[in-house]
Amino acid sequence: AEELGIPLVTLDTHSKLDVAIDGADEVDPDLNLVKGGGGALLREKMVEVCADKFIVIVDESKITEKGLGPGFPVPVEITPFCHEHTMRTVANLPSCKGCNPVLRMGSSSSNVNDGDEIAVTDNGNYIVDLHFEEPIADAPLMASEIKNVVG
């Protein structure tokens, strides 16, 4: 990047970004996204909100015609404090009806449980993966409800 004249900076020194580019784990026909399978949920969100323009790049393997949910679990970063309470609260949201919340174990960068210890993000938090048998009925509502959960 630096060879092309693109500076590498941090949000501590540059809180306003022209553009941020990232991928998604799953995309539905309405362009709703599942992101965070790699475990950097909070950090990716912080970069996204600091950017004037946010570009998501996916290939056809990430596109689902069936709706979000059954093809890829929805990751939610939660605090370790009262994490079981937070998992229950999220699972009981009306928009999350029917989900099976699973605390990620092993590596935080994989949505496949690959260890015996609770996966810890770079920020010291946990990740709960919401598994759905049926497509999510209202992804924007679910995103809003989850954002309003403390913890």
Side-chain angles (χ1 to χ4, degrees):
E2 290 176 326
E3 290 176 8
L4 298 173
I6 301 170
L8 298 177
V9 298
T10 70
L11 294 179
D12 286 333
T13 60
H14 294 76
S15 295
K16 185 167 175 2
L17 306 173
D18 295 327
V19 64
I21 302 170
D22 200 359
D25 299 304
E26 193 172 52
V27 182
D28 73 7
D30 294 323
L31 301 181
N32 295 305
L33 309 173
V34 173
K35 293 185 48 47
L41 287 76
L42 177 62
R43 292 180 181 209
E44 288 178 0
K45 188 60 152 180
M46 290 179 71
V47 171
E48 174 189 335
V49 300
C50 289
D52 289 337
K53 185 175 219 171
F54 182 59
I55 298 171
V56 177
I57 299 174
V58 297
D59 65 22
E60 59 276 352
S61 71
K62 306 293 184 169
I63 299 170
T64 177
E65 297 297 328
K66 300 175 187 176
L68 299 179
F72 197 94
V74 177
V76 179
E77 188 166 350
I78 63 173
T79 61
F81 179 74
C82 295
H83 71 276
E84 291 179 7
H85 161 78
T86 305
M87 284 179 56
R88 284 191 305 273
T89 301
V90 170
N92 288 323
L93 292 171
S95 62
C96 293
K97 184 178 180 181
C99 82
N100 176 29
V102 177
L103 189 61
R104 192 176 291 185
M105 304 296 284
S107 169
S108 66
S109 63
S110 170
N111 71 329
V112 176
N113 287 346
D114 58 1
D116 297 327
E117 300 292 320
I118 296 173
V120 178
T121 69
D122 291 338
N123 297 302
N125 293 319
Y126 298 164
I127 297 173
V128 56
D129 290 307
L130 306 179
H131 295 262
F132 291 86
E133 295 288 326
E134 299 294 324
I136 297 165
D138 189 338
L141 175 63
M142 188 177 82
S144 176
E145 286 184 352
I146 289 172
K147 286 178 187 176
N148 285 316
V149 172
V150 176

